[in-house]
Every structure is written in C-alpha cells, then in structure tokens.
Amino acid sequence: MSLTEWLHRADSHGATSKALVCGERSYSYSELKEVITRVAAAFVEMKLPKGARICILSQNSDRAIISFWAAIWAGYIPNLMNTRWSVRELELSLADCEASLLLVDDSFIESGEALEKACGFLDRLIFIGERKDASSGTLSYEQLITASPCDDRSGTASDDVLLNYTGGTTGKGKGVVHTHSSISSALNICFAENFYDHRKTLGLVVPLFHISGILCMAATLRSQGCLVVVPAFEPSRVLRLISEFNVETMMMVPTMCRMLVSSEDFNKHDLSSLTSILYGGSPIDKSLLHELFNALPNAEFFQVYGQTEGAPISFLHPETHRARGDEERLGSAGNVAHGVSVSVRDSNGKELAEGEVGEVCFKGEHVMNRYWNQPETTAQTINDGWCHSGDVGYMDSGYLYIVDRLKDMIISGGENVYTTEVENVLAACPGVSECAVIGVEDETWGERVHAYVVLGTSNQHDLDVIQRHCRQSLAGYKVPRSFSILDALPLTAVGKIDKVALRRMAL
C-alpha cells in the first residue's frame, strides 16, 4: 500500500471536513489534495531523477506538510531537515543525501541562500514562506501551485518513501530510510493500540523533522482528523490554540509537558477539550507525571517508546496511568506493541532471561529499510532481522523498562551505573527542578557520576543535602560525586536533554 492512500479517499470520504489549520489558513480534505497534487506536478515538471531527494528546511507549517506529501505523490523522497542544525551541519546533510531541491521558509531564507551557494549539486532553491524579499532567482510557493494536478507517482509498498535523519544525541546523525510499507506498518500499530483516535483534532507541536511529528501528522490525516499546526513550541500560544480550536490530543516530549504545565498562562484558558496526552522521546520523571495528572484531570495519558529506526516499540496504556498508585509500572516503557517483538540481549547477542539487563532489540514490519549510504552501519544495527536499539533495558512481567542508552551508561570501579536510575532519584529531591547525569573521567574509578541540576526558585539547596538524599536510595558508587548548577539544561532540537553538550561542558 502506498502512503498516499488517504489522499485517494479525500474526494469521496469527508471531502469537506477540515483537514488542516495553520495560522489564518485552513483546508478541507479536498482542498488539501488539490494543492498537494499541484505542487507535486510542479516537482514533476522539473524532470528530477527518479527517487530524487527533496529537502525541506522549515518550521512546522501547512506549506511544509503540503511539500512533504507533494514530494511523495510525485515519486520523490522528502527529507524534513533539523531546524536547529548549523548551516555547516545542514550542508553535510544535503551532501550526504545528494539533494536535488531545497525548500526553505521565512526563518531559513538566508541559510537557504548560503546553502545554495555552497552546494553546487542542488538543482533549485524554493521559497515556501511568506516574506516578499526572497531573491529574484528563487522559485516561490505561489509559482508551484499554478501547475495542473498530476496523477499519483508514489510507487509501491517496497519503494522508499522518506528520509529522516536521527537527532544525533549520541554523535553524528544518520539518514534513516523508510518505505511506504514500514511507515504504513507503524501507523497500523498505532491504530491497533488505540494510540490515535479517528477524526480527532490534534495539536501538532512536536517538530516535523522528528519521527513522532511525521507519524502524528500522517496518522491524523489518514484517520480524517484535523491538524492544528503550531510552528514552534511556545506554551502561551499552544494553550491559546487548544482553547480556540478545541484540540483533543497532543504528542509532546517531557520537556514540553513541563513547560506547558509551568506556564503562567496555564489557568487562563479552557483546556477541557484536551482528553488525550501522548508523550515520549525521553524518560519522564514521576513527579512531573503526577503534576500533569493533577493539572489535566480530564486527560488520559499514553506513553510511546520508539526511535527513528522503528517506532513504536512499546506503549504504556491509559489504564496503567489510571492506577496512579503503581509507581513501578509508571516508570516503565509499557507493554511491547502489537506486531512488534522485543528481545533483551547481552553483548554477544545471547537472549537474556526476564529481569536481566541488556540491549533492547526489536523486530517488526515497521523497522527502517536501511541507513542512507551506510551499509556497514546498517548491517551492525539490523542483524538477522533484529534492530539493535542502543538502549539498555529489561523485561518484567510483560513490561519493558529502559534504564539507559548504551553510550550513556557509566562504568565506575567496574560497576555499571545507569544514568536514568540516578536521575529519577535526583528528580525526587525537593528543590531540584531538572537534572541530568553523565560520566566523567576519574583517576581512581575510571569514571565517576557527575550531576547537572537546575534548582527551583524557592529552594536553594545545599549540594550536601542533595547528595545525602541520593545516598538514601542509591548504592555509594551510584551517588553523584560532583555537581554543576545550571540555570537551564541544554536541549536538542526535539526537546531531549543534550548530553553531548553536557559532556563538552565537563571537559
């Protein structure tokens, strides 16, 4: 099945239903199909090679979404680029995937012009924003939509459908290639688990360049819901849009959840329409989860665990969240998803028994096809059909627990220290607002635990107090031996704590 199947139904099922809202613009399903097929025709008229890569550097917007689907409809491969990368990083990504077109919005027109000069292989720079001062030689969105609609050229289930670069929190990003089949399978898993409801209004606040943004957007359109597109996450704007458009569901990372519930505008808007909070992307501390329970009593909570190479892997369902007293289960990544297999393995590839800690490996029809131009890395990651996640975890009574990233695990005096365990204890300490833990070199122990903490405004704790708190719950070798106090933790483009940046700070 082609991923464009929902577009073929747009004229017959719910044609007049609202599909997308972005600022002052809104589209019915038939209107959205019309403009997507027009932009696709404009791409086809450029006579690009089959499977050409079309890179989109844009904040969340209607035009970015239209361009994404137009590329697929035309038989090309869209790559929604990381908007927080430097020009140099963007240049490397464009070169890596040998892009034919680069589309930019208002925020990136200067970067786009610099990239066009640096990347001689680009056929065209196209402006999909609102500003009127784009260079005269740049093709505009208004010119694209003058083309006459074209037929679907998207291909078959086994064809490549999109390229999505990993966030690179553990190093250089890799280009993950998905097919029509793998993304369709991911959506089928989500629907089977009731992660997405049909015909719901979803506030699209996660960035489109993240796999969760792509899946949220695609699932909403496939189920004939309505997308309320938020260009960038600003709590006051998000709260206003929830109230204005009766947003029913949103996908957020924990950092977004914290920012939303901590906003001074939180109690100024009617949020009663918000009945479903989807979250994932990084661990969430239980204190924040309980704060969300109290702040949004009408909402069901649903956690998803996955990664760019294959999402979803597991779900923590609403019924587990409802059992508020089951703190242990709330700290898990939930049950393995429908149609997915999980195996926890040691460094030799041997499957471990329940309760034993090892690397989480998974398989399913939703797993990526390959890394772009990296056959050796692909072979290392996917072995005998099993995708190696790089996450350390264990199974217990049907629940999957993630304790760390393999590359984040600290080895101190020959003992493994899982940073998530230490961070959960730190987060429960009164006066600690946010925290992150890394390993730093130590002459005696090889590595020692170093903690970065953000203190609450009303509680300026002595670090000895925090350390004593940790000793009550952790073995001595797990207790942070050194601390840094920060005003805020550095974040990646998708709101995860940037441990690469923290390690640089520790040098």
Side-chain angles (χ1 to χ4, degrees):
M1 178 191 294
S2 167
L3 204 58
T4 59
E5 182 262 345
W6 70 271
L7 277 166
H8 289 280
R9 293 186 286 109
D11 290 329
S12 56
H13 293 84
T16 59
S17 300
K18 187 173 291 186
L20 188 153
V21 176
C22 184
E24 299 298 317
R25 293 191 289 268
S26 66
Y27 306 78
S28 68
Y29 272 89
S30 60
E31 290 168 340
L32 189 58
K33 179 182 179 181
E34 172 79 11
V35 70
I36 286 171
T37 55
R38 284 182 179 276
V39 174
F43 291 155
V44 170
E45 289 172 3
M46 295 177 197
K47 302 189 183 305
L48 305 175
K50 180 178 174 58
R53 274 69 62 202
I54 296 180
C55 293
I56 304 166
L57 181 60
S58 169
Q59 302 284 2
N60 287 4
S61 73
D62 55 334
R63 294 180 175 184
I65 291 169
I66 288 165
S67 300
F68 171 86
W69 287 105
I72 293 173
W73 186 269
Y76 303 128
I77 303 171
N79 170 22
L80 290 155
M81 304 189 78
N82 191 321
T83 57
R84 292 186 65 178
W85 279 357
S86 67
V87 171
R88 177 58 179 161
E89 289 169 314
L90 293 167
E91 181 184 342
L92 291 173
S93 179
L94 288 167
D96 183 61
C97 71
E98 302 170 288
S100 294
L101 302 179
L102 173 61
L103 283 59
V104 298
D105 70 356
D106 301 87
S107 301
F108 300 101
I109 187 166
E110 287 81 10
S111 298
E113 289 170 348
L115 288 166
E116 183 182 31
K117 291 177 182 177
C119 302
F121 51 83
L122 281 173
D123 289 342
R124 299 294 296 263
L125 175 66
I126 300 174
F127 178 56
I128 59 171
E130 313 281 351
R131 283 168 47 178
K132 305 301 180 185
D133 58 344
S135 61
S136 58
T138 303
L139 193 65
S140 72
Y141 178 82
E142 286 75 15
Q143 290 171 291
L144 294 180
I145 59 176
T146 61
S148 298
C150 69
D151 293 334
D152 188 357
R153 301 172 177 227
S154 59
T156 63
S158 61
D159 288 329
D160 297 341
V161 72
L162 64 86
L163 182 62
N164 189 211
Y165 278 78
T166 61
T169 55
T170 56
K172 182 179 180 291
K174 300 180 286 289
V176 173
V177 181
H178 276 286
T179 64
H180 288 272
S181 178
S182 64
I183 295 296
S184 293
S185 295
L187 295 176
N188 289 340
I189 293 168
C190 290
F191 286 123
E193 296 278 356
N194 296 315
F195 190 64
Y196 297 117
D197 289 330
H198 290 270
R199 300 181 184 275
K200 292 286 187 180
T201 298
L202 179 137
L204 184 64
V205 297
V206 287
L208 281 167
F209 62 76
H210 192 272
I211 190 65
S212 63
I214 293 171
L215 292 179
C216 280
M217 177 262 291
T220 302
L221 295 173
R222 179 168 158 179
S223 65
Q224 294 192 312
C226 176
L227 285 171
V228 177
V229 181
V230 183
F233 189 83
E234 298 172 8
S236 58
R237 174 190 282 183
V238 172
L239 291 165
R240 177 177 57 80
L241 291 175
I242 292 170
S243 178
E244 182 179 350
F245 293 101
N246 293 318
V247 170
E248 296 166 285
T249 183
M250 288 198 309
M251 172 77 195
M252 294 186 286
V253 297
T255 304
M256 291 176 175
C257 293
R258 187 183 300 280
M259 291 170 66
L260 195 73
V261 78
S262 301
S263 171
E264 61 183 17
D265 294 330
F266 186 81
N267 293 315
K268 297 179 181 179
H269 299 277
D270 179 5
L271 308 180
S272 60
S273 65
L274 193 59
T275 56
S276 177
I277 298 292
L278 319 175
Y279 68 94
S282 62
I284 189 168
D285 67 75
K286 294 173 189 175
S287 60
L288 172 58
L289 203 48
H290 283 287
E291 189 175 356
L292 289 165
F293 292 160
N294 294 329
L296 296 166
N298 295 328
E300 297 274 26
F301 290 82
F302 215 139
Q303 182 198 157
V304 60
Y305 163 63
Q307 54 187 209
T308 310
E309 290 84 349
I313 298 171
S314 64
F315 293 101
L316 189 66
H317 295 87
E319 50 267 32
T320 308
H321 288 86
R322 290 190 207 113
R324 302 288 159 89
D326 194 345
E327 295 298 306
E328 183 180 349
R329 294 291 185 242
L330 286 177
S332 76
N335 307 113
V336 176
H338 176 83
V340 180
S341 298
V342 165
S343 173
V344 179
R345 304 191 170 201
D346 66 15
S347 58
N348 296 316
K350 177 186 175 183
E351 186 167 18
L352 299 173
E354 183 170 294
E356 293 187 299
V357 176
E359 183 180 10
V360 176
C361 301
F362 63 97
K363 65 164 51 174
E365 294 182 0
H366 66 317
V367 172
M368 69 169 183
N369 180 270
R370 66 192 184 282
Y371 290 120
W372 184 263
N373 283 341
Q374 295 192 46
E376 292 183 3
T377 306
T378 301
Q380 292 168 3
T381 302
I382 304 177
N383 190 341
D384 194 26
W386 289 96
C387 186
H388 290 249
S389 70
D391 287 335
V392 179
Y394 63 94
M395 294 295 301
D396 180 16
S397 302
Y399 284 80
L400 174 64
Y401 289 82
I402 304 299
V403 297
D404 218 338
R405 289 288 295 171
L406 273 175
K407 295 181 180 179
D408 287 343
M409 187 177 70
I410 301 164
I411 302 177
S412 184
E415 299 286 351
N416 293 343
V417 179
Y418 301 113
T419 59
T420 303
E421 179 185 9
V422 182
E423 289 162 355
N424 284 338
V425 171
L426 277 169
C429 179
V432 173
S433 175
E434 296 179 82
C435 62
V437 167
I438 64 168
V440 296
E441 288 187 17
D442 186 275
E443 290 184 5
T444 303
W445 303 104
E447 283 187 298
R448 70 174 186 275
V449 180
H450 181 82
Y452 290 92
V453 295
V454 177
L455 297 176
T457 54
S458 59
N459 292 287
Q460 297 302 316
H461 258 311
D462 188 300
L463 292 178
D464 288 339
V465 174
I466 298 175
Q467 201 167 47
R468 285 199 297 273
H469 168 85
C470 291
R471 289 190 186 281
Q472 293 174 4
S473 302
L474 296 170
Y477 65 89
K478 299 178 183 178
V479 174
R481 296 171 182 265
S482 53
F483 292 84
S484 295
I485 306 298
L486 300 179
D487 292 330
L489 296 175
L491 302 176
T492 68
V494 294
K496 297 181 183 181
I497 294 171
D498 191 342
K499 291 200 172 180
V500 174
L502 291 176
R503 291 189 189 98
R504 291 196 203 102
M505 292 167 60
L507 294 176

